[in-house]
């Protein structure tokens, strides 16, 4: 496929000199059209065909290794499952994204804070920082790496996934794919078709962690201390 | 800190490293655990060698068309209202960033770990400008609190410190009163740094890969500090080496898989984020976004015999298998880029005057080349460096005389035989209890940290023994 350069971009002399240096070091003129190699053809497929149940098994196994609890639930009992999890996290304030799926699944958390465009930067960050549990819906999930993928939106800020002490992501089974390859391909398809994507695309695999002290794993550093996925 | 982390000579630095038994045991066990984790994560992917081929293909394609992809990136960042600045030198890069911060009259800065910001001496420039700067990666924060101790590993910067040292630093500098368990130490840092994030006016991050067709950067982290740095402050400044770019998310995905598995043995790290300037209606993330693209010597590598070194994705896998790194540690390289990749790129970025010894800090075993996820022929590049250094007569006079003598000796069977015959008696003055303890410079380097047996008497030698056997079998 061919990707064309955005010719309307502001040109500054700094940039031109910089890019001309590169072209001259490469021993050629500047390039204005380039053919990407078709890398997908070379990527090995080590799994073969998989059903959703297979994907769920792969996800559960991986989540064991990344210290993430997986709860299998259904739309009918989702409210109860989430309420139990909030309680298990020690109660406290809950913060939700403004995802319309909270309504669609008939979920109600009367005292919960919500990330909303009208609240503005300072207030949204304050709400997230004082929340004990965040609940979000995954845009898609990757079985192999135990990952939820989320895009930033006016009703779902970037720091919502990091500031609350506990993190719950609801995953609809039909949004489960094998690995990052499929998610990246779909996102890139949208980008090349000119469809909007969030200004941040976050691939989140379990709670935050660090091994900076003597290579000993500490779970819960700057982001959430604990992460739970609820499958429906 | 600049590229150079220690201005003493190579021999003094390695002597320090070899004498630091704590550091050596910490590095040894870290290497062992990272090696095992890398191997199991690589095996789990299936057909790892083919993945490495794809990684190499992507990196080479991007380098061959670097001007094109950087121009595309610039257009896409500006289209979203972001700023992109091309800095030919480290001075241009750090002054641009300082000027952005001054214009905003900001003083509270949070940073997430980035090697290129070390290279452009950003911290020094910002501290001199009166900024209150906080490194938020746990390892980097520990180093900052310990009076900006230099990092010793690309991925685990505080690898050379143990929990007791870290506790002492926190106690002295921050009034920490807890115990020395990693959980307590990390929990304390979380509380202190959370406040820094909330107060910060500007966030500075590195960039694992820029995505040309999207106009965004990709950060690969585990702690979550990179995301907070780019989410909470109103201004985000990202800094990248000019070669760290991919055409689309599809190439990024392949490289992130190779990176996470090679660096820490994870399938994906906890947080892999693609980010750019905030869109309309989003209430956090940067209102003002700057990407600084740094050359600082890289274009001189482009198209040279060292071109492949620019394929590097900074995973650190070559450090984790290197027998030399294991013994001398990261600080002995005197560069922010240690280990085999450091020995290749440091002399290219910093010149042979200061770094001519680094290409010789290798046994040429090739373990680095075997693990490199993007197939940089690291040990072969070290040989090319050596050739150039010798051709430019940069090795010491004593070394040159000894090498000349050795080449005479080894290329003449007659002379070699004669020398062997007298080796035992000639080395008597230099030996003690069957071991050589003194000798010319070339020997010194070896016997400083290893045993060297005194050559045996002529009659006990292998050759004499073989002659005797031959005689015996003829009877």
């Amino acid at each position: 496929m061919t990707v064309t350069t955005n010719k309307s971009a502001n040109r500054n002399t700094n940039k031109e000199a910089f890019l001309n240096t590169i072209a001259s070091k490469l021993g050629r003129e500047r390039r204005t059209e380039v053919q990407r190699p078709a890398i997908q053809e070379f990527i090995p497929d080590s799994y073969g065909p998989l059903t959703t149940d297979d994907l769920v098994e792969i996800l559960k196994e991986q989540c064991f290794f990344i210290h993430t609890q997986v709860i299998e639930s259904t739309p009918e009992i989702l409210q109860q499952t989430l309420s139990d999890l909030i309680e298990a996290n020690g109660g406290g304030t809950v913060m939700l994204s403004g995802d319309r799926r909270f309504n669609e699944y008939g979920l109600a958390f009367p005292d919960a804070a919500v990330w909303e465009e009208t609240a503005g930067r300072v207030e949204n960050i304050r709400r997230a920082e004082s929340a004990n549990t965040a609940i979000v819906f995954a845009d898609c999930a990757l079985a192999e790496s135990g990952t939820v993928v989320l895009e930033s939106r006016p009703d779902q800020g970037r720091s919502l996934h990091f500031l609350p002490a506990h993190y719950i992501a609801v995953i609809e089974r039909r949004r489960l794919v094998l690995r990052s390859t499929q998610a990246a391909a779909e996102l890139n398809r949208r980008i090349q078709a000119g469809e909007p994507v969030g200004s941040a695309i976050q691939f989140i695999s379990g709670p935050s962690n660090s091994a900076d002290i003597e290579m000993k794993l500490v779970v819960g550093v700057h982001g959430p201390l604990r992460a739970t996925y609820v499958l429906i | 800190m600049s590229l150079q982390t220690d201005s003493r000579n190579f021999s003094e630095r390695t002597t320090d490293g070899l004498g630091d038994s704590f550091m050596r045991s910490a590095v040894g066990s870290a290497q062992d655990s990272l090696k095992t984790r890398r191997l199991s994560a690589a095996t789990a992917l299936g057909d790892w060698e083919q993945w490495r081929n794809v990684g190499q293909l992507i990196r080479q394609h991007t380098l061959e068309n670097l001007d094109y992809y950087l121009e595309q990136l610039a257009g896409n960042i500006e289209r979203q209202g972001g700023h992109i600045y091309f800095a030919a030198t480290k001075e241009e890069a750090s002054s641009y960033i300082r000027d952005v911060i001054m214009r905003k009259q900001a003083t509270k800065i949070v940073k997430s770990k980035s090697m290129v910001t070390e290279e452009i001496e950003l911290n020094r420039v910002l501290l001199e400008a009166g900024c209150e700067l906080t490194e938020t990666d746990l390892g980097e924060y520990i180093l900052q609190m310990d009076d900006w101790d230099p990092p010793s590993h690309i991925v685990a910067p505080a690898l050379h410190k143990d929990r007791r040292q870290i506790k002492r630093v926190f106690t002295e500098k921050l009034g920490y009163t807890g115990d020395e368990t990693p959980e307590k130490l990390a929990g304390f840092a979380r509380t202190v740094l959370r406040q820094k994030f909330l107060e910060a006016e500007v966030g500075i991050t590195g960039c694992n890969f820029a995505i040309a067709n999207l106009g965004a950067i990709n950060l690969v982290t585990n702690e979550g500090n990179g995301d907070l740095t780019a989410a909470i402050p109103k201004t985000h400044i990202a800094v990248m080496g000019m070669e760290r770019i991919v055409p689309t998310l599809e190439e990024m995905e392949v490289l992130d898989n190779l990176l996470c598995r090679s660096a820490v043995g994870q399938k994906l790290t906890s947080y892999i984020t693609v980010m750019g300037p905030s869109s309309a209606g989003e209430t956090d993330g940067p209102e003002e976004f700057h990407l600084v693209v740094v050359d600082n010597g890289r274009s001189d590598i482009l198209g040279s015999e060292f071109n492949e070194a620019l394929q590097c994705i900074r995973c650190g896998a070559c450090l984790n298998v290197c027998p030399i790194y294991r013994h001398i540690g990261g600080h002995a390289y005197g560069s922010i880029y240690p280990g085999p990749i450091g020995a290749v790129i440091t002399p290219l970025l910093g010149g042979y005057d200061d770094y001519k010894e680094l290409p010789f800090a290798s046994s040429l075993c090739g373990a680095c080349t075997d693990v490199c996820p993007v197939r940089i022929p690291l040990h072969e590049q070290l040989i090319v460096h050596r050739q150039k250094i010798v051709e430019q007569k940069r090795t010491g006079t004593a070394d040159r005389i000894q090498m000349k003598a050795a080449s005479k000796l080894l290329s003449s069977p007659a002379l070699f035989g004669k020398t062997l015959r007298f080796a035992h008696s000639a080395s008597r003055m230099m030996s003690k209890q069957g071991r050589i303890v003194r000798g010319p410079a070339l020997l010194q380097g070896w016997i400083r940290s290893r045993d060297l047996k005194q050559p045996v008497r002529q009659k006990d030698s292998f050759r004499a023994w073989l002659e005797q056997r031959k005689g015996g079998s003829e009877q």
Side-chain angles (χ1 to χ4, degrees), chain A residues 1-6 9-12 14-16 18-19 21-23 25-26 28-37 39-40 42-44 46-47 62 65-66 115-122 124-125 129 142 144-145 147 152-165 179-182 184-189 191-192 197-218 220-225, chain B residues 30 33-34 37 45-47 50-51 54 57-58 61 63-72 74-76 78-79 84-88 92 136-139 142 155-159 161-163 166 182-183 185-186 190 193-194 197-198 213-214 222-225 227-228 230-234 242 247-254 257 261 266-287 293-295 299-300 302-303:
Chain A
M1 70 199 82
T2 306
V3 192
T4 50
T5 313
N6 184 352
N10 284 338
R11 299 197 175 260
N12 62 56
N14 224 4
K15 179 179 90 178
E16 290 306 307
F18 192 100
L19 299 181
T21 304
I22 291 175
K25 294 284 180 181
L26 290 168
R28 56 164 176 74
E29 297 288 302
R30 290 268 296 276
R31 286 198 175 149
T32 52
E33 202 177 298
V34 167
Q35 196 78 18
R36 272 172 68 210
I39 55 164
Q40 304 298 350
F42 302 112
I43 294 177
S46 43
Y47 288 88
Q62 174 61 14
F65 292 110
I66 59 170
W115 189 288
E116 354 172 69
E117 183 181 349
T118 49
R121 172 186 295 263
V122 174
N124 275 324
I125 290 175
E129 155 65 14
L142 319 177
E144 186 189 73
S145 51
T147 306
S152 60
R153 304 187 308 240
D155 63 4
Q156 179 170 279
R158 305 178 181 199
S159 50
L160 173 60
H161 314 291
F162 294 87
L163 291 173
R179 55 192 317 282
S180 43
T181 312
Q182 288 84 35
E186 170 57 16
L187 283 162
N188 191 47
R189 185 198 63 71
I191 292 163
Q192 297 203 320
V197 293
S199 77
I201 306 166
Q202 289 164 316
F203 293 75
I204 298 175
S205 311
S208 72
N209 65 85
S210 173
D212 274 351
I213 300 174
E214 290 186 6
M215 303 300 295
K216 299 278 183 300
L217 184 74
V218 176
V221 186
H222 295 295
L225 307 170
Chain B
S33 105
L34 287 168
R37 278 150 61 178
L45 192 53
D47 208 351
Q50 177 63 10
W51 280 92
V54 182
L57 174 73
I58 292 171
H61 168 78
L63 290 173
E64 279 162 22
N65 300 291
L66 190 56
D67 51 337
Y68 170 79
Y69 286 117
L70 283 172
E71 181 160 34
Q72 192 189 23
N76 283 323
E78 286 167 348
R79 184 177 48 75
I84 183 162
Y85 179 75
F86 289 89
E92 279 179 28
T136 60
D137 172 81
L138 179 57
I142 292 165
V155 174
L159 189 68
K161 286 199 182 329
D162 70 357
R163 59 180 76 191
I166 295 165
E183 288 76 13
L185 291 165
R190 174 191 169 97
L193 290 171
R194 180 56 71 94
F197 282 121
L198 294 173
N213 79 335
L214 179 58
N222 264 318
E223 294 180 6
N225 60 317
D227 286 86
L228 286 170
I232 295 182
K234 285 185 182 168
M242 68 175 198
T248 75
L249 289 177
E250 293 183 1
E251 289 83 4
M252 177 203 87
E253 188 270 335
V254 173
N257 269 275
R261 290 170 201 252
Q266 288 172 274
K267 292 193 170 93
L268 293 180
T269 56
S270 288
Y271 301 115
I272 292 186
T273 304
V274 175
M275 52 176 99
S278 270
S279 305
E282 292 180 10
T283 55
D284 66 351
E287 292 169 4
V293 186
V294 180
D295 182 334
S299 56
D300 291 331
L302 206 60

Side-chain angles (χ1 to χ4, degrees), chain B residues 65-347:
Chain B
N65 300 291
L66 190 56
D67 51 337
Y68 170 79
Y69 286 117
L70 283 172
E71 181 160 34
Q72 192 189 23
L73 173 73
N76 283 323
I77 284 182
E78 286 167 348
R79 184 177 48 75
Q80 301 169 83
H83 307 270
I84 183 162
Y85 179 75
F86 289 89
T89 63
K90 62 177 185 174
E91 289 79 14
E92 279 179 28
S94 47
S95 347
Y96 174 82
I97 296 167
R98 183 196 56 211
D99 294 347
V100 168
I101 293 170
M102 295 294 111
R103 251 198 327 273
K104 306 223 74 83
Q105 298 183 312
T107 53
K108 294 188 164 67
I109 320 289
V110 282
K111 265 189 80 198
S112 78
K113 187 177 160 333
S114 148
M115 299 307 294
V116 70
T117 59
E118 303 270 2
E119 193 186 312
I120 63 171
E121 294 184 73
L122 185 60
N123 290 358
R124 181 183 60 74
V125 169
L126 296 185
L127 290 171
E128 281 171 10
C131 291
E132 189 196 309
L133 180 78
T134 309
E135 290 282 359
T136 60
D137 172 81
L138 179 57
E140 295 274 355
Y141 183 61
I142 292 165
L143 297 179
Q144 177 182 355
M145 287 301 110
D146 196 13
D147 305 320
W148 300 98
D149 190 22
S152 69
H153 189 284
I154 297 176
V155 174
L159 189 68
H160 56 286
K161 286 199 182 329
D162 70 357
R163 59 180 76 191
R164 278 167 291 277
Q165 291 167 314
I166 295 165
K167 182 192 162 193
R168 198 179 60 229
V169 169
F170 279 8
T171 307
E172 284 170 12
K173 299 289 164 69
L174 297 159
Y176 173 70
T177 53
D179 61 27
E180 59 188 34
T181 56
E183 288 76 13
K184 286 273 164 51
L185 291 165
F188 175 72
R190 174 191 169 97
T191 314
V192 176
L193 290 171
R194 180 56 71 94
Q195 203 50 41
K196 300 280 184 194
F197 282 121
L198 294 173
E199 291 167 359
E201 297 158 295
V202 175
I204 300 176
T205 69
C207 163
N208 288 95
F209 303 104
I211 298 107
N213 79 335
L214 179 58
I217 64 152
N218 168 221
L219 283 186
V220 178
T221 67
N222 264 318
E223 294 180 6
N225 60 317
D227 286 86
L228 286 170
T229 303
I232 295 182
K234 285 185 182 168
T235 303
H236 174 199
I237 305 171
V239 191
M240 64 181 269
M242 68 175 198
E243 79 286 14
R244 304 291 290 277
I245 182 170
V246 288
T248 75
L249 289 177
E250 293 183 1
E251 289 83 4
M252 177 203 87
E253 188 270 335
V254 173
L255 295 181
D256 281 351
N257 269 275
L258 289 168
L259 173 63
C260 298
R261 290 170 201 252
S262 299
V264 283
Q266 288 172 274
K267 292 193 170 93
L268 293 180
T269 56
S270 288
Y271 301 115
I272 292 186
T273 304
V274 175
M275 52 176 99
S278 270
S279 305
E282 292 180 10
T283 55
D284 66 351
E287 292 169 4
E288 189 174 318
F289 174 82
H290 296 262
L291 177 60
V292 180
V293 186
V294 180
D295 182 334
N296 196 32
R298 286 166 171 77
S299 56
D300 291 331
I301 306 174
L302 206 60
S304 78
E305 61 267 67
F306 296 105
N307 190 58
E308 286 162 297
L310 292 175
Q311 287 165 218
C312 179
I313 58 173
R314 305 284 190 268
C315 68
C318 59
L319 279 62
N320 301 336
V321 296
C322 179
I324 307 297
Y325 179 88
R326 186 181 188 95
H327 290 290
I328 64 177
H331 284 169
Y333 291 80
S335 161
I336 54 164
Y337 301 118
I341 186 62
V344 173
I345 61 173
T346 306

Side-chain angles (χ1 to χ4, degrees), chain B residues 379-391:
Chain B
H379 73 290
E380 289 167 21
Q381 301 221 316
L382 291 174
I383 296 173
V384 178
H385 268 311
R386 292 183 186 192
Q387 282 166 347
K388 289 179 154 285
I389 289 164
V390 171
E391 279 165 13

